[in-house]
Amino acid sequence: MTKIRLRYAPSPTGFLHIGNTRTALMNYLYAHHYNGDFIVRIEDTDIERNVEGAIESQFDNMEWLGISPDESFLKPIDKYGKYMQSQKFDRYKELAEKLIEKGFAYKCFCTPQELQIEREEQEARGIVATKYSKKCLYRNDIDQLKDKPYNIRFNVGEDQAIKINDVVRGDVEFNSKEIGDFVILKSNGIATYNFAVVVDDYDMQITHVVRGEEHISNTPKQCLIYSAFNWTEPKFCHLTLIVDETKKKLSKRSGNAMFFISQYREQGYLPEALFNYIALLGWSPKGEQEIFSKEEFVKMFDEKRFSKSPSTFDMVKMKWINSQWMKKLSDENYLEFTKKFIDKSKFNIDNKEPLWLNSVLMLFKKELEFGSQINKHLDIFFNDVEVSAQTKETLGTLSDYKEMILSLKNELINLEDFEENNIKKIISMLGKTFEKKGKDLFMPIRIFTTLSEHGPELAKTISLLGKQKVLKNIDSLL
Ligand code: GLU
């Protein structure tokens, strides 16, 4: 069996985001499941829209996510041609001219103004999907126009069925009536997307084209080009949309969700978690399990399990999956990872005892959803904090705690070894003496010692805050 070959073909008009990552990732899984090749090719023919640094940034973020190409402009194989469209202009020109020779394409000398007039005339006649009139296909003054600039247009047949067997959608049929004679090579010598993509997929012997559903309307045009050259089409696979919670296509304007991979990196998400969640957008495994590694996804990938309806990007789920991956980190890796996200301008960790700092960070290992969330928890350990109005209110709902807190204060003053187990003993003794348990016991103690009504394991927290700070906290509220 020949090796399958798939490609992710970004245009360097922007940075890696959830949408194009999903495309890259599905191509990667599809290819690697069948021991095929995953290729990254740059579609940079739209020169004005190219964004500086976009290519480097996309490669860097893909590498971080573990979606590394087997071939790219950094790892090329000569026989497949160049991996960047801007280096293939001669190739596109040669092939466009071949199509003219074969009668599948023709030179169009119409100026933008003439085309505009044509469009307006059609619109005036109530035509919504305006098409080029084929004027230049039939004109007989070509010889006089020789020196004028021209586009090369594909000559689309009048009434021809174009069938696609899409991996996700099954049979989809188009009719050439709906397609005007489209430009394949512009007068400036630059190939258009629909032409270049076919030439490249052919040159690179791509077997499967996996991309977003916004490209499905381009596919019949591409099929016409394959057929004109007598080339075998790849298998097409158009992934359904990723939408936000308002059911609009996920974008940088989507409210809750972050869009760019770099944003997740900056906030302290793990690459394994992003890979995990993005692989579940528009694809699902059998069964209920949701946490999988890249290797597991590669193994269980199945092209029959692409979803036929849009998938909603859910930030809550993204965070949950990240928290699961954070829990899986060894303590050592968790500490190293979390420290990178501490806001050093607010929390001066340099003058702290390293073991103390590690213990404080470990308090939150089970609950952090992402790295930079640690900053929400550090205030009580580093700074003087004020009790919030909410906590004061909670305190107001509790009764009868004054004696217990005074006793707690006394016990803590006299405690020599300010250590977790000793503090636990004091709390349990207080429970017995004052006949309190559960919330009535713990909540007042927590609020008085930590100035907050929420937090991790109480005795450990008190021990890490240290005697001086805890007594100061109690006094501030008494
Ligand atoms: N350059 C296209 C895009 O970024 C890729 C289209 C394709 O995969 O054919 O959407």
Side-chain angles (χ1 to χ4, degrees), residues 105 114-115 125 140 143 153 163 170 186 243 261 303 343 351-352 355 360 371 380 391 405 460 464:
E114 286 168 322
L115 294 171
R125 280 187 281 134
N140 40 28
D143 285 344
R153 279 184 192 273
K163 290 186 192 145
K186 291 189 273 186
V243 296
I261 300 303
E303 67 273 25
D343 180 349
N351 60 4
K352 297 287 180 195
L355 284 178
V360 169
I380 61 163
T391 303
I405 297 298
K460 208 178 225 168
L464 288 167

Coordinates of all heavy atoms in Angstrom, one line a residue, residues 105 114-115 125 140 143 153 163 170 186 243 261 303 343 351-352 355 360 371 380 391 405 460 464:
A105 N -8.4 26.6 -20.5 CA -8.3 27.9 -19.9 C -8.0 29.0 -21.1 O -7.7 28.6 -22.2 CB -7.1 27.9 -19.0
E114 N -14.1 47.1 -16.6 CA -15.0 46.4 -17.4 C -15.8 45.3 -16.7 O -17.0 45.1 -16.8 CB -14.3 45.7 -18.6 CG -13.9 46.8 -19.7 CD -12.9 46.2 -20.7 OE1 -12.0 45.4 -20.3 OE2 -13.0 46.5 -21.9
L115 N -15.0 44.6 -15.8 CA -15.6 43.5 -15.0 C -16.7 44.1 -14.1 O -17.7 43.5 -13.9 CB -14.6 42.7 -14.2 CG -13.6 41.9 -15.1 CD1 -12.4 41.4 -14.2 CD2 -14.2 40.8 -15.8
R125 N -30.1 43.1 -13.4 CA -31.1 42.1 -14.0 C -31.5 41.1 -12.9 O -32.2 40.1 -13.1 CB -30.5 41.3 -15.1 CG -30.5 42.1 -16.5 CD -30.1 41.3 -17.6 NE -28.6 41.2 -17.7 CZ -27.9 40.1 -17.9 NH1 -28.6 38.9 -18.1 NH2 -26.6 40.1 -18.0
N140 N -12.3 37.9 -31.0 CA -11.4 37.6 -32.1 C -10.4 38.7 -32.3 O -9.8 38.8 -33.4 CB -12.2 37.2 -33.3 CG -13.4 38.2 -33.5 OD1 -13.3 39.3 -33.0 ND2 -14.4 37.7 -34.1
D143 N -5.1 39.3 -31.1 CA -3.8 39.7 -31.7 C -3.5 41.1 -31.4 O -2.4 41.5 -31.1 CB -3.8 39.5 -33.2 CG -3.6 38.0 -33.5 OD1 -3.2 37.3 -32.6 OD2 -3.9 37.6 -34.6
R153 N -8.1 32.5 -17.2 CA -9.3 32.0 -16.6 C -9.5 30.6 -16.9 O -9.2 30.2 -18.1 CB -10.5 32.8 -17.1 CG -10.8 34.1 -16.4 CD -12.1 34.7 -16.9 NE -12.1 36.1 -16.4 CZ -12.5 36.5 -15.2 NH1 -13.1 35.6 -14.4 NH2 -12.5 37.7 -14.9
K163 N -19.1 15.8 -8.6 CA -19.4 15.0 -7.4 C -18.2 14.9 -6.5 O -17.1 14.6 -7.0 CB -19.9 13.6 -7.8 CG -21.3 13.6 -8.4 CD -21.8 12.2 -8.7 CE -23.0 12.3 -9.6 NZ -23.1 11.2 -10.5
G170 N -20.1 12.6 3.1 CA -20.6 11.7 2.1 C -20.6 12.3 0.8 O -19.8 13.2 0.5
K186 N -3.2 35.4 -12.1 CA -3.5 36.8 -12.2 C -2.5 37.5 -13.1 O -1.4 37.0 -13.4 CB -3.5 37.4 -10.8 CG -4.6 37.0 -10.0 CD -4.7 37.7 -8.7 CE -3.8 37.1 -7.6 NZ -4.0 37.7 -6.3
V243 N -17.8 26.5 16.9 CA -18.5 27.7 17.2 C -18.3 28.1 18.7 O -17.9 27.3 19.5 CB -20.0 27.6 16.9 CG1 -20.3 27.4 15.4 CG2 -20.6 26.4 17.7
I261 N -3.3 30.3 20.2 CA -2.6 29.3 21.1 C -1.6 30.1 22.0 O -1.4 29.7 23.1 CB -1.8 28.3 20.1 CG1 -2.8 27.6 19.2 CG2 -0.9 27.4 20.9 CD1 -3.9 26.8 20.0
E303 N -11.4 7.8 10.9 CA -12.0 8.8 10.1 C -13.5 8.8 10.0 O -14.2 9.7 9.5 CB -11.4 8.9 8.7 CG -11.7 7.7 7.8 CD -10.7 6.5 8.0 OE1 -10.0 6.5 9.1 OE2 -10.5 5.7 7.1
D343 N 3.5 36.0 39.3 CA 3.7 37.5 39.0 C 4.7 38.0 39.9 O 4.4 38.4 41.1 CB 2.3 38.2 39.1 CG 2.4 39.7 38.8 OD1 3.6 40.2 38.7 OD2 1.4 40.3 38.6
N351 N 13.3 36.1 48.1 CA 13.7 36.1 49.4 C 13.0 35.1 50.3 O 13.0 35.1 51.5 CB 13.7 37.5 50.1 CG 12.3 38.0 50.1 OD1 11.3 37.3 49.7 ND2 12.1 39.3 50.5
K352 N 12.3 34.2 49.6 CA 11.6 33.2 50.4 C 12.4 31.9 50.5 O 13.1 31.5 49.5 CB 10.2 32.9 49.8 CG 9.3 34.1 49.7 CD 8.8 34.4 51.1 CE 7.9 35.6 51.0 NZ 7.6 36.2 52.3
L355 N 11.9 25.7 50.2 CA 11.0 24.6 50.7 C 9.6 25.1 51.1 O 8.6 24.5 50.8 CB 11.6 23.9 51.8 CG 12.7 22.9 51.4 CD1 13.3 22.3 52.7 CD2 12.3 21.9 50.4
V360 N 3.8 25.9 49.7 CA 2.7 26.8 49.4 C 2.1 26.4 48.1 O 0.9 26.3 47.9 CB 3.1 28.3 49.5 CG1 2.0 29.2 48.9 CG2 3.4 28.7 50.9
G371 N -1.8 27.6 35.0 CA -0.6 28.1 35.7 C -0.8 29.5 36.4 O -0.6 29.6 37.6
I380 N -2.5 36.0 50.3 CA -2.5 35.8 51.8 C -1.1 35.4 52.3 O -0.8 35.6 53.5 CB -3.6 34.8 52.3 CG1 -3.4 33.4 51.7 CG2 -5.0 35.3 52.0 CD1 -4.2 32.4 52.5
T391 N -16.8 38.1 52.8 CA -16.3 37.3 53.9 C -16.8 37.8 55.3 O -17.2 37.1 56.2 CB -14.8 37.2 53.9 OG1 -14.4 36.7 52.7 CG2 -14.2 36.3 55.0
I405 N -12.4 31.4 69.3 CA -11.2 32.1 68.6 C -10.2 32.6 69.6 O -9.0 32.5 69.4 CB -11.7 33.3 67.7 CG1 -12.7 32.8 66.6 CG2 -10.6 34.1 67.1 CD1 -12.0 31.8 65.6
K460 N -2.7 23.0 57.2 CA -1.5 23.2 56.4 C -1.3 24.7 56.1 O -0.2 25.2 56.1 CB -1.5 22.3 55.1 CG -0.2 21.9 54.6 CD -0.4 21.1 53.4 CE 0.5 19.8 53.5 NZ 0.2 18.8 52.5
L464 N 1.8 27.1 57.1 CA 2.6 27.8 56.1 C 2.5 29.3 56.3 O 3.5 30.1 55.9 CB 2.2 27.4 54.7 CG 2.7 25.9 54.4 CD1 2.0 25.5 53.1 CD2 4.2 25.8 54.3

